[in-house]
Amino acid sequence: MFHLFLAASAIWLTKIIVGKTLAVRSATREISAAPSDGVLWIHPFRALSMACGHWFPFPSQIGSWDSKFRPYVKHGSTAVGSVLFSRTMPTLWLADAEGIKTVAGEATVFQKDIETYKTVNIYGENLVGTEGAEWRRHRRVAKPAFNEACNAFVWTDTVRIVNEWFAALDAVEANQNKKSITLNVLKDLAQVTLLVISSVGFGRRASWQQNASTVPPPGQLMAFGPAVFAAVHYLFPKALTPKWLSALSERMYIPVIGRMVRDVNHAYEALKLHMVELVSLSRAWVVEGKVSNMDAALLRNLVEANMEDEDAAITSYKNLTDDELFSNTFLFLLAGHETTAHSLAFAVAYLALYPDVQQKIYDEAFLLWPDGVPKTASTSSYGELMPRLLYTLATFHETIRLFPPVIRISKLVHADTTIKAHRFTTTSNGDIDNVQDISVPVKAGSMVLVDIRGLHMNPMYWGPDAESFKPERFIDTESYKWPRDAFLAFSAGPRACIGQRFAVTESVCVLASLVRTYEISVPEKLRAKPFEEQKRSLLSWIPGITMAPTNCVVSLRRRS
Ligand code: HEM
Ligand SMILES: *[C@@H]1O[C@H](CO)[C@@H](O)[C@H](O)[C@H]1NC(C)=O
Ligand SMILES: CC(=O)N[C@H]1CO[C@H](CO)[C@@H](O)[C@@H]1O
């Protein structure tokens, strides 16, 4: 009897293994026009890939968070195939500007893999995690807020907030003695960027000092800043906690995880209360017909869409449910500060490591502000000053070329099509040679991974020194135009970042002001170390919702 059972199990197992092997083989054949890197054991666009991204897959393999352009060199192709094991799904990796342009541009054939974005759908559906007609409705509502008037506000608010930040830095005792202070800038930068999006997007004009209090204001569970940071911090636990567990832990004592689940829920409830407050203030403006006085255009658009009546919605297609209103509010608070803070922290680390680059930003900023950064800026400052901070802008672009917060985007293929890419050989000095066009047929049901960081390190567009930090490569000259299509930090096509100009304006303003006011350097304890080690330390990062810097510790010394 037992033998029979064993034999049956063996046959069953063999059938599964053989079946899977054949399926993987046939999936591999489906994209055989691109060289294959084999099986993908982990879905490259799910939470697990973020959790173990540092160790597995290995850096020379496709799917690693740190593979850069290596796998493409290994296979001599800007398109590399693989098969996702769990779904036996043919998966094409792309680090090719031409191919990616097609994928990003043809939004009906290549649709977002929205499953992943459920993580950020805590309160409901939103702009980042929807597709097709649903997505267009969300985008139509939010888009008009991201205009030049908004950028001008971003500039003036950033000036106000960095001034408050600098005052807090100067209040630190060491700085008063004209010594330098050493700190990890990430937390402060997250504070700056959160204050800017809260103010410009949502009309919440809190000061730096107001943050200093963690005491919840009347009617609230937590102070605003801590509530947002806690919600971001708990994003994965929140997404992974089943609703029943969440409900149960409120009712009874569950050892260890009960406490954690309650903390997570507390943060999200606290944030919801703040959002309710923002929304009801804004509703009152709309009801009283005073919207023209309200400069938080993003919140106003979201709230007006939520109040749109059914008849009007038939023609305007601009309506949002309550859940969608809160979900978008949360999304913008999150997307509007996290990526920018991470990018800025990497940029500050680079400035400490490359004093010559810092000097050029200083020179540029000194021309604008010979007497130091002004305490306030008028709404015309943005238009006047942004075009004069070209080197600062180039430095920011170069930072997010090397450390794009979003390193890859996955798209599901909805119709059979072909994608252009290139075969090549690599010379001993890292130059690309013998480039040949190829066309890779992909079938509906396959997945394409837009490998942003891979593209950013492709020597075909960026030269053999693609991995080095050189802001100059983002400055056009008479004989050189930087390769626009090979820069994808904000994605491209209809699903490109809605906040690109917002982020760039804010970042350029922060970097120029910071460098004009402080000299940034490598911290004392790293100064005697070799350059490579300083770099490894300051630029270390971990995979997360976005690529997250872990050790941006620098010294700041006030310039006289
Ligand atoms: C350096 C800063 C930033 C970077 C590198 C960045 C990057 C990106 C990327 C790559 C995407 C496409 C994501 C995907 O396809 O899944 C995206 C989308 C988006 N970003 Fe940003 N972003 C930044 C700042 C911002 C800011 C400041 C805001 C808001 C104020 C924002 C709001 C959004 C939204 C709402 C989307 C979804 C757009 C849509 O699907 O229609 N981002 N961003
Ligand atoms: C938006 O309005 C249209 C037209 O009235 C309606 O069909 C649709 O269900 C509404 N959607 C939401 C989310 O309210
Ligand atoms: C960036 C910053 O200063 N954040 C502060 C906000 O307030 C809390 C509570 O005092 C501080 O711990 C943070 O450092």
Side-chain angles (χ1 to χ4, degrees):
M1 188 61 201
F2 183 65
H3 285 108
L4 215 61
F5 173 72
L6 258 187
S9 308
I11 291 171
W12 175 74
L13 208 72
T14 313
K15 225 175 119 185
I16 289 191
I17 294 172
V18 170
K20 194 76 179 178
T21 312
L22 290 178
V24 166
R25 218 182 269 166
S26 110
T28 310
R29 263 198 306 274
E30 259 189 41
I31 39 161
S32 58
S36 171
D37 201 60
V39 169
L40 279 176
W41 298 104
I42 296 177
H43 194 303
F45 210 62
R46 294 288 185 273
L48 189 58
S49 149
M50 297 173 197
C52 60
H54 242 338
W55 305 282
F56 189 77
F58 307 115
S60 66
Q61 286 178 304
I62 212 83
S64 156
W65 267 65
D66 205 20
S67 57
K68 302 178 182 166
F69 193 63
R70 277 185 288 247
Y72 304 94
V73 169
K74 186 169 82 185
H75 295 289
S77 171
T78 56
V80 171
S82 60
V83 174
L84 177 59
F85 186 74
S86 56
R87 305 182 185 189
T88 9
M89 194 187 233
T91 302
L92 186 71
W93 292 77
L94 273 184
D96 191 286
E98 208 180 326
I100 288 176
K101 199 169 186 175
T102 308
V103 172
E106 292 181 10
T108 46
V109 178
F110 302 97
Q111 298 198 5
K112 256 179 126 158
D113 177 11
I114 53 178
E115 179 76 25
T116 301
Y117 300 84
K118 295 224 156 67
T119 323
V120 291
N121 288 0
I122 308 277
Y123 300 99
E125 299 281 327
N126 59 42
L127 176 58
V128 80
T130 42
E131 252 298 344
E134 288 287 283
W135 163 74
R136 269 191 297 280
R137 179 167 54 84
H138 289 266
R139 183 99 179 181
R140 210 177 282 123
V141 171
K143 184 69 184 163
F146 290 88
N147 55 16
E148 286 292 274
C150 165
N151 300 328
F153 275 127
V154 170
W155 186 277
T156 48
D157 261 325
T158 306
V159 168
R160 170 177 69 81
I161 291 156
V162 292
N163 268 292
E164 293 172 2
W165 176 32
F166 297 163
L169 287 174
D170 293 342
V172 175
E173 201 175 345
N175 239 19
Q176 288 166 354
N177 306 331
K178 296 269 179 247
K179 293 201 199 107
S180 59
I181 58 168
T182 300
L183 79 162
N184 185 334
V185 285
L186 179 61
K187 213 169 132 195
D188 282 18
L189 290 167
Q191 185 73 31
V192 169
T193 55
L194 179 62
L195 286 169
V196 173
I197 180 67
S198 314
S199 175
V200 176
F202 299 95
R204 191 182 173 283
R205 251 172 238 24
S207 71
W208 187 272
Q209 284 75 16
Q210 265 166 296
N211 152 70
S213 144
T214 47
V215 180
Q220 295 291 348
L221 291 172
M222 288 168 87
F224 179 75
V228 177
F229 293 136
V232 173
H233 179 73
Y234 287 138
L235 202 53
F236 284 116
K238 176 74 182 173
L240 299 176
T241 310
K243 285 220 167 65
W244 59 263
L245 180 61
S246 186
L248 202 63
S249 70
E250 296 295 332
R251 265 172 222 115
M252 61 182 277
Y253 174 78
I254 306 174
V256 194
I257 58 163
R259 167 86 207 246
M260 160 95 169
V261 172
R262 273 197 311 275
D263 284 352
V264 171
N265 287 344
H266 183 74
Y268 279 91
E269 267 165 46
L271 182 58
K272 176 84 183 260
L273 279 185
H274 280 287
M275 297 196 299
V276 167
E277 186 178 296
L278 285 173
V279 164
S280 42
L281 283 176
S282 166
R283 270 191 189 132
W285 284 95
V286 176
V287 170
E288 288 162 31
K290 291 196 291 188
V291 284
S292 55
N293 300 341
M294 201 179 121
D295 54 16
L298 177 59
L299 179 63
R300 189 181 72 213
N301 292 353
L302 296 175
V303 166
E304 282 182 336
N306 177 243
M307 296 168 78
E308 184 88 337
D309 64 48
E310 247 173 60
D311 294 341
I314 292 170
T315 48
S316 74
Y317 297 109
K318 279 187 180 185
N319 48 345
L320 292 181
T321 65
D322 288 357
D323 284 352
E324 291 168 342
L325 166 64
F326 287 114
S327 188
N328 279 300
T329 302
F330 173 60
L331 167 70
F332 276 105
L333 286 174
L334 168 70
H337 92 272
E338 226 235 2
T339 40
T340 315
H342 289 177
S343 309
L344 279 170
F346 282 123
V348 171
Y350 269 126
L351 295 180
L353 290 162
Y354 293 84
D356 52 327
V357 171
Q358 187 179 162
Q359 183 63 40
K360 287 185 194 157
I361 294 185
Y362 179 76
D363 294 344
E364 202 169 70
F366 187 86
L367 279 179
L368 305 190
W369 304 310
D371 305 321
V373 178
K375 290 277 176 275
T376 57
S378 69
T379 42
S380 61
S381 303
Y382 159 74
E384 287 157 20
L385 303 185
M386 258 314 261
R388 297 174 62 193
L389 289 164
L390 290 182
Y391 191 82
T392 311
L393 174 61
T395 305
F396 183 68
H397 278 154
E398 178 67 345
T399 303
I400 57 176
R401 181 182 68 85
L402 292 164
F403 288 98
V406 180
I407 67 160
R408 61 177 71 138
I409 294 172
S410 122
K411 303 271 187 184
L412 300 176
V413 183
H414 282 254
D416 295 0
T417 182
T418 56
I419 296 175
K420 290 241 168 66
H422 296 89
R423 294 252 192 185
F424 58 88
T425 57
T426 314
T427 64
S428 53
N429 68 354
D431 250 330
I432 297 283
D433 212 356
N434 300 321
V435 178
Q436 283 169 18
D437 293 353
I438 56 168
S439 271
V440 184
V442 284
K443 290 214 171 105
S446 316
M447 174 161 68
V448 172
L449 278 140
V450 175
D451 189 344
I452 296 178
R453 199 156 184 245
L455 175 72
H456 285 180
M457 306 233 179
N458 183 339
M460 230 177 250
Y461 315 110
W462 300 104
D465 63 352
E467 291 188 20
S468 1
F469 179 73
K470 286 190 178 165
E472 281 73 14
R473 57 172 107 243
F474 279 95
I475 299 201
D476 289 337
T477 65
E478 266 171 27
S479 57
Y480 170 83
K481 230 171 157 321
W482 65 269
R484 267 72 176 170
D485 290 345
F487 178 68
L488 221 79
F490 295 100
S491 190
R495 296 307 296 256
C497 180
I498 205 172
Q500 173 167 0
R501 194 64 192 164
F502 188 117
V504 166
T505 302
E506 174 179 14
S507 301
V508 163
C509 186
V510 168
L511 289 176
S513 312
L514 182 65
V515 171
R516 175 65 192 88
T517 315
Y518 297 94
E519 192 185 323
I520 307 165
S521 54
V522 175
E524 189 73 53
K525 71 174 198 299
L526 280 181
R527 257 168 236 169
K529 299 273 163 65
F531 182 66
E532 283 308 313
E533 197 179 327
Q534 297 180 348
K535 231 165 104 173
R536 229 183 351 263
S537 172
L538 292 189
L539 296 172
S540 55
W541 56 275
I542 50 165
I545 312 170
T546 64
M547 217 177 190
T550 48
N551 192 36
C552 296
V553 179
V554 298
S555 287
L556 299 178
R557 183 206 200 98
R558 201 170 225 296
R559 297 179 192 263
S560 40

